[in-house]
Amino acid sequence: QSALTQPRSVSGSPGQSVTISCTGTSSDVGGYNYVSWYQGHPGKAPKLMIFDVTRRPSGVPDRFSGSKSGNTASLTISGLQAEDEADYYCCSYAGSYTFVVFGGGTKLTVL
Amino acid sequence: EVQLVESGGVLVQPGGSLRLSCAASGFTFSTYGMHWVRQAPGKGLEYVSGINNNGGYTYYANSVRGRFTISRDNSENTLFLQMGSLRPEDTAVYFCARSPWAGHPPDVWGKGTTVTVSS
């Protein structure tokens, strides 16, 4: 069982928007503004899409955005494209003794 | 260019030992926290272990605590994972990743090395 809870799957049609949630506790997501999101394909290096809740690394399209409310962080992908189909993982700082915790991952299907 | 390159993954029998390495380049290794994260076949990412920039603080997931040891050699820009008492459920791709500081989620990942535990 993962420390952070994500939906197992979400889907959307090209051009639509989808939001993936990541629910933790006040000891991780809710307590700090250090939430990252990764795009992953099985067996390949995860790609950083969002860091520090809302910040985008250079090269990541502005269709990807992050937010947080209370103990839940969210990744929103607008203007869905076929290439966005992947697994998405959230990760949060969880204190100096635990370092970081991951979500279980969400499979995004572009219909 | 920032780069992390893992090595050492092989087929090993249950109960065996293995040491993974991660060679870092393109950044000041000694100022970053480092992590090992694994992905079993068909599964999601699982955090395995982390270490702060000078090696003074470490963390282990419950699933590996007492069997795995993380370490680093800042003079050689290399991260290690010593794995012992290996089990079939340790079979996974093992990724090395860096963080601006030990508790921050990783920002750069290696491509991974495959560990298979089977008789």
Side-chain angles (χ1 to χ4, degrees), chain B residues 57-116:
Chain B
Y57 289 94
T58 58
Y59 171 81
Y60 299 94
N62 288 338
S63 57
V64 306
R65 186 172 292 122
R67 300 188 299 122
F68 291 9
T69 301
I70 190 171
S71 62
R72 62 191 298 161
D73 184 337
N74 285 347
S75 67
E76 295 291 332
N77 295 336
T78 305
L79 176 72
F80 302 101
L81 185 67
Q82 181 68 46
M83 310 165 68
S85 302
L86 283 163
R87 306 166 180 168
E89 55 265 37
D90 295 318
T91 294
V93 176
Y94 285 73
F95 298 102
C96 148
R98 78 163 197 184
S99 294
W101 43 277
H104 193 280
D107 60 351
V108 176
W109 297 65
K111 294 184 177 182
T113 187
T114 300
V115 174
T116 304

Side-chain angles (χ1 to χ4, degrees), chain A residues 2-101:
Chain A
S2 302
L4 305 179
T5 301
Q6 298 181 233
R8 297 198 70 160
S9 64
V10 297
S11 63
S13 300
Q16 288 186 333
S17 295
V18 294
T19 297
I20 300 171
S21 61
C22 170
T23 301
T25 69
S26 58
S27 296
D28 39 64
V29 173
Y32 312 95
N33 289 322
Y34 298 122
V35 177
S36 292
W37 289 91
Y38 306 95
Q39 180 187 68
H41 294 93
K44 297 196 172 183
K47 177 184 177 182
L48 180 65
M49 305 303 286
I50 295 288
F51 68 100
D52 294 352
V53 179
T54 61
R55 301 176 66 182
R56 253 187 335 270
S58 61
V60 172
D62 60 7
R63 303 185 294 104
F64 291 83
S65 63
S67 62
K68 190 184 82 167
S69 177
N71 296 336
T72 299
S74 299
L75 172 70
T76 298
I77 309 171
S78 58
L80 268 179
Q81 299 181 4
E83 66 203 51
D84 299 332
E85 186 163 293
D87 298 318
Y88 290 86
Y89 298 89
C90 61
C91 179
S92 173
Y93 174 58
S96 57
Y97 295 106
T98 306
F99 287 8
V100 298
V101 290

